[in-house]
Amino acid sequence: MPPVKLEVSDATITQSSDAKQKELNKCNQLELKGLESIAPLVRSVEETPEPIATEVCGTIPTWIRGSLLRNGPGKFEFGNQHYNHWFDGMAMLHQFKIEDGKVTYRSRFLQSDAYKKNSERNRIMVSEFGTVAMPDPCKNFFLRFLSRFEMIEATDNASVSFVKYKGDCFVSTETNYMYRVDPESLETQNKVDWTKFIAVNMATAHPHTEPDGTTYNMGNSYGRKGALYNIIKVPPMKNNPEETLEGAKVLCSIVPADKARPSYYHSFAMSENYVVFIEQSIKMDLLKIVTAKLRGKGISEGIYWDPKQDTVFHLVDKHTGQTSSVKFHTKALSVFHQINAYEEDGFLMLDMCCSDNGEAINTYLIQNLRKSGEALDQAYNNMYRVFPRRFVLPLNVTNDTPTGVNLNTRPASSATSFKTKTPRVVCQFEDLHGEDLYEYGGLEFPQINYSKFNTRPYRYFYGCGFRHLVGDSLLKIDLEGKKVKVWYQKGLFPSEPVFIPSPDAVEEDDGVILSVVVTPTEDKSTFLLVLNAKTWEELGRAEVPVNIPYGFHGTFNPTA
């Protein structure tokens, strides 16, 4: 698709209205009817704490030795009280252990304080993202009234991802709490509080790790003067086995455009020399959030989409902690996951999965995910699609850099970058896909060959196609020609793909893709899918005789 012409000004970022409307229509033209219900994929399930055998069909390469670890919600109600949002469900940890071509499966609920309190009282005792815990009916009227004025306590329901710090395995969410877990047994070990180590109130569940184990993350801090965005650096080594986040430090702090309404962010990008923070147009109304319990509302009520606000890219030098004085602006975008970022020839390539609307968070209410018929079709068709896009950020912008000239001189790149009269650069993306991706509903849950190609030039990325509210296909994008390969079987819903390089890998895509596939139409019919990452052909599957809800993120933990 040719680049959309930008009308560059200091006050705002605009596009030709006709071109913009044409672009939006194209990105969201896929209207579907007759979507099948996925309600069984967001139902509570029982844990399977002891490993059980699976039935392998086809062949699973014997060189794969380790465990695919997955995280996501597995319990959506306690007693007669139920959660409102998909993000609220209690964390369930899953392990697919692969050895000698065979696979075993086990799962456990994370033994968080939230889970234990809720279980003991058989009611929702701890507020989550979209659900506020109601006052305890056992208290007298006066105490119930006073409890309304308490701040919502941060949840420790770490249901988003598995992450590693200093070689240890943790499960994480977007508050100040994580849990160290045993990747072999999935048993919950110790609770870790970021605030005990550095001055942040939360951290993302998507850190980035250097080859030496140094880990970067981001987290907000809140004070009397409002919010700050903080870049976090965690050292790679432990001085003793009990250590967790000792030695972590705030590398730098970034002031929000509006301290009372900072941006929400789920992740960030990292190149060889820079951390890239995307200050997007999804905002958090801090007043609404701190008064949520008083109003009987969840924290989600304080998060909103503001299409009038630019998206701003902030570059932070990883070595010095200095923030670039040059700010890169683009139109309002919604971003949950980055694909990759790398530097080449004086430019930083920033590849992300983007949407032109940030209201998707509200779509993922459990009541929407459990709809059927026309109501389900409408929920899907009203949602903006997510597509992979590249921004090209020039790294050598100075006072002498001319204005009104496209600074992106990279051949065959349609992205644009224009310096304006004020110290900013206005950017327009290029698509990282061809026309055929529209047919598959866009792409989310992006993954790459991370260990070898994160922060480096790369050719391939993988993700889920979204012709439903959850992923319904697995996609491979080849950036040379922007070609797509597709794995799709009707009625099956694959999870985020995880790439594992083969031990004798020569090329970038030498390896396999692992994905957990679930279906709402058959009971106990989950399986672990293994694809040849190069040919995109199925090698084998390990069928698991249990029900597993559709989850969020995972990682492969190799056998030592």
Side-chain angles (χ1 to χ4, degrees):
M1 188 167 67
V4 179
K5 183 178 179 181
L6 282 170
E7 301 166 0
V8 183
S9 71
D10 291 339
T12 188
I13 300 172
T14 61
Q15 290 176 295
S16 161
S17 59
D18 291 342
K20 181 177 180 180
Q21 191 58 51
K22 182 179 180 181
E23 176 192 4
L24 294 181
N25 289 343
K26 194 174 198 179
C27 288
N28 298 284
Q29 65 185 359
L30 183 68
E31 287 207 0
L32 299 180
K33 294 183 179 180
L35 292 174
E36 68 176 297
S37 171
I38 57 169
L41 305 186
V42 283
R43 300 288 188 195
S44 297
V45 298
E46 298 295 324
E47 63 182 1
T48 307
E50 298 302 322
I52 59 173
T54 67
E55 182 176 345
V56 174
C57 301
T59 302
I60 294 178
T62 55
W63 58 260
I64 306 175
R65 297 178 64 85
S67 296
L68 175 66
L69 304 174
R70 293 273 303 160
N71 199 350
K75 186 172 179 61
F76 298 93
E77 68 285 312
F78 286 91
N80 61 2
Q81 297 182 348
H82 60 84
Y83 290 112
N84 297 323
H85 201 283
W86 190 27
F87 298 172
D88 299 343
M90 292 291 97
M92 175 174 262
L93 315 182
H94 308 267
Q95 177 203 73
F96 294 83
K97 189 171 185 178
I98 308 171
E99 188 172 2
D100 297 328
K102 298 179 181 179
V103 181
T104 60
Y105 169 80
R106 76 195 315 168
S107 64
R108 290 183 187 271
F109 282 110
L110 177 69
Q111 296 299 303
S112 63
D113 289 342
Y115 178 81
K116 290 188 286 188
K117 288 178 182 177
N118 296 340
S119 298
E120 288 168 3
R121 300 296 295 273
N122 198 29
R123 62 187 300 271
I124 296 173
M125 298 291 294
V126 179
S127 295
E128 299 291 340
F129 176 74
T131 305
V132 61
M134 301 308 294
D136 189 342
C138 296
K139 292 181 178 179
N140 62 42
F141 173 80
F142 182 66
L143 291 177
R144 292 201 305 271
F145 175 75
L146 287 181
S147 69
R148 290 281 194 177
F149 295 88
E150 298 172 353
M151 286 274 292
I152 290 181
E153 182 182 355
T155 182
D156 63 347
N157 176 37
S159 64
V160 177
S161 65
F162 277 87
V163 298
K164 278 195 172 182
Y165 293 97
K166 301 182 181 181
D168 285 342
C169 193
F170 296 82
V171 287
S172 181
T173 182
E174 296 182 341
T175 69
N176 54 302
Y177 295 119
M178 298 189 301
Y179 275 92
R180 182 156 53 182
V181 298
D182 183 342
E184 288 299 313
S185 66
L186 297 184
E187 290 180 347
T188 304
Q189 295 180 327
N190 53 311
K191 183 175 179 178
V192 179
D193 183 351
W194 279 95
T195 67
K196 304 298 184 183
F197 300 93
I198 53 176
V200 298
N201 296 99
M202 55 78 67
T204 81
H206 288 290
H208 278 289
T209 303
E210 300 273 30
D212 71 350
T214 300
T215 306
Y216 293 85
N217 207 338
M218 285 199 62
N220 283 4
S221 57
Y222 303 106
R224 293 180 178 179
K225 295 183 179 180
L228 289 174
Y229 311 121
N230 302 288
I231 311 298
I232 302 165
K233 184 177 182 179
V234 181
M237 303 296 291
K238 292 189 291 185
N239 293 318
N240 65 72
E242 301 305 314
E243 269 196 15
T244 54
L245 297 175
E246 283 83 356
K249 66 178 182 178
V250 172
L251 190 64
C252 83
S253 299
I254 300 170
V255 179
D258 183 343
K259 289 186 176 182
R261 293 177 176 82
S263 288
Y264 166 80
Y265 55 93
H266 183 70
S267 59
F268 62 99
M270 185 178 80
S271 67
E272 182 180 1
N273 294 296
Y274 297 95
V275 168
V276 185
F277 170 55
I278 299 97
E279 189 174 17
Q280 63 178 335
S281 307
I282 302 177
K283 301 297 181 180
M284 299 189 296
D285 187 323
L286 297 185
L287 180 61
K288 283 189 174 181
I289 290 174
V290 300
T291 60
K293 190 170 184 180
L294 175 62
R295 297 180 292 109
K297 301 291 185 180
I299 294 171
S300 60
E301 294 284 332
I303 297 179
Y304 66 100
W305 167 246
D306 187 352
K308 296 180 181 179
Q309 297 295 318
D310 295 349
T311 296
V312 183
F313 306 131
H314 301 266
L315 271 57
V316 177
D317 189 305
K318 287 158 55 177
H319 311 291
T320 67
Q322 295 296 310
T323 304
S324 173
S325 60
V326 179
K327 305 303 177 187
F328 299 88
H329 288 239
T330 191
K331 66 176 186 176
L333 291 174
S334 165
V335 180
F336 275 80
H337 302 110
Q338 287 74 43
I339 304 168
N340 200 1
Y342 65 93
E343 302 158 41
E344 191 174 62
D345 301 328
F347 296 93
L348 190 152
M349 272 53 70
L350 177 60
D351 298 350
M352 311 185 297
C353 289
C354 307
S355 173
D356 295 303
N357 184 284
E359 297 177 345
I361 287 179
N362 297 324
T363 300
Y364 285 96
L365 297 172
I366 292 175
Q367 65 180 15
N368 286 339
L369 293 169
R370 291 177 178 172
K371 285 180 177 177
S372 61
E374 292 182 3
L376 176 60
D377 296 345
Q378 183 177 8
Y380 174 79
N381 292 325
N382 286 343
M383 189 170 66
Y384 278 56
R385 313 292 180 259
V386 177
F387 291 94
R389 296 167 174 174
R390 170 172 292 173
F391 290 89
V392 178
L393 312 182
L395 294 174
N396 300 311
V397 177
T398 67
N399 291 334
D400 297 327
T401 302
T403 61
V405 176
N406 182 13
L407 304 179
N408 178 18
T409 56
R410 291 176 61 81
S413 172
S414 60
T416 61
S417 297
F418 289 88
K419 181 188 173 187
T420 67
K421 293 180 181 179
T422 55
R424 68 168 64 175
V425 174
V426 176
C427 305
Q428 171 62 33
F429 63 83
E430 62 178 301
D431 291 322
L432 292 182
H433 62 89
E435 298 285 325
D436 45 5
L437 189 59
Y438 297 116
E439 177 185 347
Y440 298 104
L443 181 147
E444 248 292 3
F445 293 141
Q447 291 285 314
I448 61 170
N449 183 343
Y450 189 95
S451 62
K452 297 292 180 63
F453 289 90
N454 189 51
T455 77
R456 300 179 178 91
Y458 70 112
R459 179 174 173 179
Y460 304 104
F461 64 94
Y462 316 94
C464 289
F466 271 74
R467 286 182 293 195
H468 211 299
L469 294 178
V470 298
D472 75 329
S473 62
L474 291 170
L475 307 177
K476 175 185 180 181
I477 302 286
D478 182 349
L479 290 174
E480 290 189 10
K482 299 180 180 178
K483 301 182 291 290
V484 61
K485 288 184 177 179
V486 183
W487 182 92
Y488 169 78
Q489 292 185 15
K490 183 176 174 56
L492 300 182
F493 296 86
S495 71
E496 170 190 68
V498 174
F499 178 86
I500 309 173
S502 59
D504 56 352
V506 176
E507 297 185 328
E508 180 183 341
D509 58 347
D510 285 339
V512 299
I513 288 290
L514 302 182
S515 176
V516 178
V517 182
V518 295
T519 176
T521 56
E522 296 182 41
D523 189 46
K524 298 181 179 180
S525 54
T526 301
F527 61 89
L528 175 66
L529 175 69
V530 184
L531 295 180
N532 181 319
K534 183 176 289 292
T535 65
W536 218 236
E537 295 175 347
E538 179 174 337
L539 296 175
R541 59 178 68 180
E543 298 176 346
V544 187
V546 299
N547 292 319
I548 299 177
Y550 196 90
F552 296 141
H553 297 290
T555 189
F556 184 73
N557 188 53
T559 299

